[in-house]
Amino acid sequence: MLWVALLLLAWGVRATAVGAHRLHPDEALYGYWGLLILSGRDPWLVSVPVYKPPLLPYLMAGSLALVGRSELAVRLPGLAAGLATVGLMGRLGRRLYGASLVGLVAAAVVALSPLSFLLSATGFTDPLMVALGVAGCVAAAEGRAGQAGVFTGLSFATKQTGLVWLPPVALLVVASGGRKAATRLMRGVVGFLAVAGLVAGWDRVRVAQGAESFWQAGVVGYGGLRLIWPMEWSGRLAAWMGWLQYLLGSALPDGLLVVGGAALVVRGIRRRDWPALFDLALAGFCLLYLLVHWLWAFPVWDRYLLPLVVPAGLLLGRVVVEAARLMGAGLRHPYPPPGSPQAGRDREGGEGRGAPPSSQRRLRIALSLVTAACLVAATFPALAGRVPVGAGLPAYDGIEQVAAFLMERSEGSVLYHHWLGWNYHFYLFDGPLYLAYWPTPAWLARDVQAFGEREPRYIVFPAWESPARVEAALAEVGYRLEPVFVVEEGGERQFVVYQVSVMRDT
């Protein structure tokens, strides 16, 4: 019953967030790729500069075929992945530590973390990449090395960052393998390489047709990967710390994680058991992941921190369990390695010799409820739109009204775009307009001067951009901007659609 309630809560917060705002440009781009595949117009994505591996675009094509062209279809893979991760975290915590409470707390963190559920309600690649990585960890902990390799390969096939799951999956394969560790590790390698080979084959087919490799496009899109300059250290560190506040979303869980995590590291250095090894591995994963993203010139984006929800949830679960033990709710059984027959059994008591009395069990429940209450409290500001994470950006609200207006324009009309091109390619797919990118006002003025009287021409200005420079450039060639459609949200202007018209003498 507790798990059912947690899953329903996880679904509720995600369902509330999934339709709160319109598509982020990156979401719209992935949806556009899916439409190209689904329509048969470009099934290999040769005509567009693809900088991601292929799994999500093809899943999105299936989602669009199932649901229809909608924002829900774009966000459905992430929504399903987020819910799956909740259940997988519960299983992983129990497999690693033999304690259902660890898994329950970890699952609650994934279910209710503002960073987790707001990103899960998007069409970004990260929720699916994380879900498949956690699935690989679960399979490895249960001794299914081949499946672990396949899931890790699928995580990489979703996003290049999926490679970060290789070390923890390899560790769990070795830990669960016993004397057959080397053989199982080889099975995992074969499983991973099978999927990676398919990704490489897909990329080679595209390159053979004239497309750019997604690896190269990804590096170029990042602006080239490099170590940051010394003058960037403090600014980037402050920016990452700003995003980290939404990992758990509340001061008490944050404090428990930092202080308790440090205590677990000290314990791990002194002890020689499986929990100590896993505690050190989880803490090391967090620190190394943050260090790499700080010191390398990755964009400082919220979604890049989503993989940290996994080790943070497990460590917080461990902190709660160890706090209960220190307060008298002891764990008296040894920790067998994952994959062993005893690994899936709950060793927190309740059965057989060494079971804690009811008062100690109530203590564990009380600690869990306090942690859960803090996590639940952190969801309210996120649902109210006060947490700037994920695609929940009101800046794009109203773009669907703009698209509806433009879809009614005459066949062959031209839409000039500079800021919202990816959104237009999704919302106006198969529409009557020709989309033309304008790099500068001078270029736009020259194009209008040459072709302006052939067909209607439109340009849309969002609230954060002024039309003044474009108006000045057009006036020099005898044209002006005439507002024909205005979108307002909450009493504030969001978008203005202008038609480019010839200036008349008065």
Side-chain angles (χ1 to χ4, degrees), residues 217-459:
V219 173
V220 172
Y222 285 132
L225 294 179
R226 60 170 178 82
L227 287 171
I228 63 174
W229 304 109
M231 65 280 297
E232 298 176 273
W233 289 353
S234 60
R236 286 179 59 86
L237 181 61
W240 283 122
M241 292 300 105
W243 287 126
L244 274 175
Q245 67 179 306
Y246 304 117
L247 186 67
L248 300 179
S250 179
L252 181 58
D254 287 343
L256 283 175
L257 180 61
V258 173
V259 176
L264 289 175
V265 169
V266 173
R267 175 192 180 278
I269 295 173
R270 296 176 178 176
R271 300 287 292 271
R272 294 294 184 271
D273 54 23
W274 286 108
L277 175 63
F278 296 140
D279 292 344
L280 291 175
L282 291 170
F285 182 95
C286 292
L287 292 175
L288 183 60
Y289 189 90
L290 285 173
L291 190 66
V292 169
H293 281 74
W294 172 37
L295 296 180
W296 285 83
F298 291 101
V300 185
W301 291 340
D302 53 355
R303 53 189 181 270
Y304 285 8
L305 293 182
L306 186 60
L308 289 183
V309 177
V310 176
L314 291 169
L315 285 173
L316 186 61
R318 284 281 292 138
V319 169
V320 171
V321 167
E322 286 299 306
R325 183 183 65 83
L326 291 174
M327 296 171 68
L331 303 177
R332 305 182 184 182
H333 298 283
Y335 290 86
S340 65
Q342 295 82 17
R345 299 178 185 173
D346 190 348
R347 294 183 301 280
E348 292 178 72
E351 294 182 5
R353 185 168 55 89
S358 58
S359 60
Q360 296 171 337
R361 190 177 298 111
R362 286 195 296 270
L363 177 59
R364 290 201 314 271
I365 294 173
L367 289 173
S368 303
L369 289 176
V370 170
T371 305
C374 293
L375 293 172
V376 170
T379 66
F380 292 107
L383 292 174
R386 297 197 298 271
V387 174
V389 168
L393 301 176
Y396 304 105
D397 291 352
I399 188 65
E400 79 286 0
Q401 299 178 48
V402 171
F405 173 80
L406 293 173
M407 287 291 278
E408 296 176 353
R409 301 308 95 192
S410 60
E411 186 76 29
S413 298
V414 176
L415 174 63
Y416 291 111
H417 66 89
H418 185 80
W419 305 279
L420 301 164
W422 293 348
N423 301 76
Y424 295 141
H425 278 86
F426 176 78
Y427 286 107
L428 299 176
F429 189 81
D430 281 340
L433 284 81
Y434 173 79
L435 301 181
Y437 173 76
W438 61 273
T440 65
W443 182 97
L444 176 62
R446 289 194 300 270
D447 193 77
V448 169
Q449 186 180 27
F451 308 106
E453 296 188 23
R454 293 187 178 182
E455 57 275 304
R457 293 171 182 265
Y458 301 90
I459 183 170

Side-chain angles (χ1 to χ4, degrees), residues 98-132:
S100 61
L101 184 56
V102 175
L104 184 61
V105 173
V109 167
V110 172
L112 302 174
S113 157
L115 191 72
S116 179
F117 78 76
L118 288 176
L119 286 171
S120 175
T122 70
F124 296 142
T125 55
D126 306 81
L128 182 60
M129 179 270 290
V130 170
L132 291 167

Side-chain angles (χ1 to χ4, degrees), residues 88-100 102-103 137-144 172 175-176 274 278 314 335-347:
L88 288 168
M89 285 295 288
R91 190 160 180 171
L92 181 60
R94 186 167 182 177
R95 286 292 177 178
L96 292 185
Y97 296 105
S100 61
V102 175
C137 291
V138 171
E142 295 180 345
R144 297 178 281 113
L172 292 174
S176 64
W274 286 108
F278 296 140
L314 291 169
Y335 290 86
S340 65
Q342 295 82 17
R345 299 178 185 173
D346 190 348
R347 294 183 301 280

Side-chain angles (χ1 to χ4, degrees), residues 203-220:
D203 198 38
R204 288 185 66 85
V205 170
R206 295 180 61 254
V207 172
Q209 298 180 59
E212 184 180 27
S213 169
F214 78 88
W215 276 108
Q216 183 177 354
V219 173
V220 172

